[in-house]
């Protein structure tokens, strides 16, 4: 049997204006538009061999069970009908599934490595459409820097993909990642999202105001207005969590240290250091700031957190 291998690397992105809710679960189409920053330093590196003895998925040097691998191989089924068995070897240089956006880097790297190994010539936009079907946030990691994910209107989802809005060197900002826990989350973002949309009374308000959030944030990015962007990011974050808190049963990813970091950010801001927070489906806090302030912010949160990282705007998904 002939086989071909390709390796791609991708970085996580952090949503400044959040994606939460789906209008189509099968095609994984979002109920809201979103906006993100692709980050440096953390990455997933994935090699796909198209044509092997059997489907095999290794993550961080550990062979995964059939249940753990199912999502990966169902994703590869999207590439071509009757694909051959494939080997997928993937490595994260950061904690998996702990709210550090590992599914974004995972599915964008997998989409690129698999399509090249399968000899499909896909544009970056087509790769984003593909990656979206593995995990929504992955559609944004294909590009460097500042990226919008348009909801799209088409039923087949071909117009729901990332769009680059500014390159990584557009603006010298940093994301300080405050790691409160690198444990796996109690409920996956996918399950929590579906529960929210079926039971939270806040869900309609969330959907109805998302486009305004994106428009304001996009303008702030173009104008390099950190305060405007930071305020809108916090607003989007708190609206997203209000839909989670009010779902039945309630979903609460936050830990006491999460709020302690939020308070520290507010105190830094009151002391004249411009910085704003966001969180995802986990207890960790990400703090957006100017590059020159990142170290001081990191020192202020150090006593509260398990670990912290200072990440800068990063590259899009690329072949190695
Ligand atoms: C809170 O992209 O992990 O991080 O599409 O179901 O795989 P699925 O969800 P996923 O959700 C990310 C949600 C978020 C916000 C965001 O990244 O926009």
């Amino acid at each position: 049997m002939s086989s071909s291998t390709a390796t791609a690397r991708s970085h996580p992105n952090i949503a400044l204006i959040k994606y939460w809710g789906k209008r189509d679960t099968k095609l994984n189409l979002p109920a809201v538009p979103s906006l993100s920053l692709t980050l440096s330093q953390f990455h997933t590196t994935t090699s796909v061999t198209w044509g092997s003895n059997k489907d095999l998925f290794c993550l961080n040097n550990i062979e995964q069970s059939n249940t753990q691998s199912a999502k990966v191989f169902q994703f590869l089924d999207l590439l071509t009908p009757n694909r051959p068995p494939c080997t997928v070897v993937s490595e994260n240089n950061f904690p998996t599934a702990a709210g550090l956006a590992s599914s974004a880097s995972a599915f964008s790297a997998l989409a690129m490595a698999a399509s090249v190994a399968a000899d499909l010539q896909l544009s970056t936009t087509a790769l984003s459409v593909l990656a979206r079907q593995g995990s929504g946030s992955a559609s944004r990691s294909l590009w460097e820097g500042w990226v919008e994910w348009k909801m799209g209107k088409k039923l087949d989802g071909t117009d729901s993909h990332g769009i680059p809005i500014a390159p990584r060197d557009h603006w010298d900002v940093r994301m300080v990642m405050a790691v409160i826990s690198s444990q796996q989350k109690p409920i996956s973002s996918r399950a929590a999202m579906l529960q929210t949309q079926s039971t939270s009374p806040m869900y309609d308000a969330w959907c109805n105001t998302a486009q305004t959030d994106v428009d304001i944030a996009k303008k702030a990015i173009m104008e390099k207005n950190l305060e405007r962007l930071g305020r809108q990011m916090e607003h989007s974050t708190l609206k997203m969590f209000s839909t989670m808190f009010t779902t039945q049963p309630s979903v609460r990813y936050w830990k006491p240290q999460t709020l302690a970091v939020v308070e520290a950010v507010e105190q830094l801001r009151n002391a004249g250091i411009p910085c704003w927070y966001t969180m995802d489906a986990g207890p960790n806090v990400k703090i957006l700031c100017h590059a020159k302030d990142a170290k001081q912010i990191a020192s202020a949160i150090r006593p509260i957190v398990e670990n912290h990282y200072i990440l800068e705007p990063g590259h899009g998904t690329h072949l190695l």
Side-chain angles (χ1 to χ4, degrees):
M1 179 198 324
S2 72
S3 76
S4 157
T5 301
T7 303
R9 174 167 289 172
S10 192
H11 300 272
N13 67 77
I14 294 300
L16 311 167
I17 303 300
K18 303 291 179 180
Y19 149 55
W20 194 255
K22 300 176 198 279
R23 71 170 195 281
D24 181 321
T25 45
K26 192 162 181 291
L27 288 170
N28 208 29
L29 294 171
V32 289
S34 57
L35 194 75
S36 63
L37 178 61
T38 302
L39 297 172
S40 60
Q41 193 176 336
F42 287 175
H43 53 71
T44 301
T45 308
T46 298
S47 294
V48 176
T49 301
W50 196 262
S52 58
N53 294 334
K54 59 169 185 141
D55 278 349
L56 181 73
F57 173 42
C58 286
L59 177 60
N60 296 333
N61 285 322
I62 298 168
E63 186 176 333
Q64 304 291 297
S65 69
N66 285 346
T67 332
Q68 289 160 324
S69 308
K71 248 189 113 179
V72 167
F73 293 110
Q74 279 160 15
F75 180 78
L76 296 189
D77 291 341
L78 299 171
L79 271 84
T80 57
N82 303 321
R83 66 165 176 86
C86 296
T87 303
V88 177
V89 177
S90 201
E91 231 168 89
N92 286 332
N93 71 343
F94 62 102
T96 303
L100 297 178
S102 57
S103 69
S105 52
F107 280 97
S108 45
L110 183 62
M112 186 174 280
S115 64
V116 171
D119 200 24
L120 302 173
Q121 267 112 42
L122 300 185
S123 65
T124 313
T125 300
L127 287 173
S128 172
V129 167
L130 179 62
R132 184 205 75 228
Q133 294 170 73
S135 186
S137 50
S139 67
R140 302 181 304 230
S141 269
L142 270 303
W143 288 273
E144 63 171 312
W146 310 83
V147 181
E148 181 180 358
W149 172 16
K150 291 217 185 267
M151 279 177 68
K153 290 195 178 89
K154 291 187 184 165
L155 288 179
D156 68 1
T158 50
D159 60 349
S160 183
H161 51 74
I163 293 182
I165 59 172
R168 75 202 154 89
D169 60 4
H170 165 68
W171 194 6
D172 205 14
V173 299
R174 294 291 180 271
M175 267 297 176
V176 180
M177 298 274 223
V179 179
I180 278 147
S181 161
S182 42
Q183 308 257 302
Q184 296 249 343
K185 48 198 168 198
I187 169 169
S188 73
S189 50
R190 182 157 298 192
M193 218 182 268
L194 295 178
Q195 191 174 300
T196 302
Q197 85 187 70
S198 55
T199 65
S200 170
M202 308 299 171
Y203 186 70
D204 285 349
W206 161 249
C207 293
N208 293 339
T209 55
Q211 186 62 54
T212 306
D213 292 345
V214 166
D215 294 343
I216 293 172
K218 216 155 93 175
K219 188 161 180 282
I221 292 166
M222 297 329 288
E223 291 170 354
K224 301 186 192 172
N225 183 338
L226 194 70
E227 176 167 4
R228 198 73 205 84
L229 177 61
R231 280 184 10 216
Q232 213 61 31
M233 176 178 81
E234 285 188 2
H235 184 59
S236 171
T237 305
L238 294 172
K239 275 193 291 183
M240 176 181 78
F241 279 99
S242 77
T243 73
M244 295 187 206
F245 294 153
T246 50
T247 197
Q248 287 177 334
S250 177
V251 172
R252 179 184 55 78
Y253 288 110
W254 295 0
K255 300 274 185 218
Q257 298 93 313
T258 308
L259 269 184
V261 174
V262 165
E263 282 209 347
V265 168
E266 286 168 355
Q267 277 164 13
L268 283 159
R269 218 150 61 200
N270 291 339
I273 297 161
C275 56
W276 286 267
Y277 59 83
T278 185
M279 290 80 100
D280 292 286
N284 303 325
V285 186
K286 293 99 186 187
I287 305 164
L288 179 68
C289 62
H290 290 298
K292 65 176 176 48
D293 297 324
K295 283 202 178 122
Q296 190 179 348
I297 294 165
S299 312
I301 58 158
R302 192 170 294 132
I304 311 169
V305 301
E306 191 179 284
N307 214 335
H308 73 272
Y309 305 88
I310 298 176
L311 306 183
E312 54 190 79
H315 290 275
T317 314
H318 51 280
L319 288 172
L320 291 185

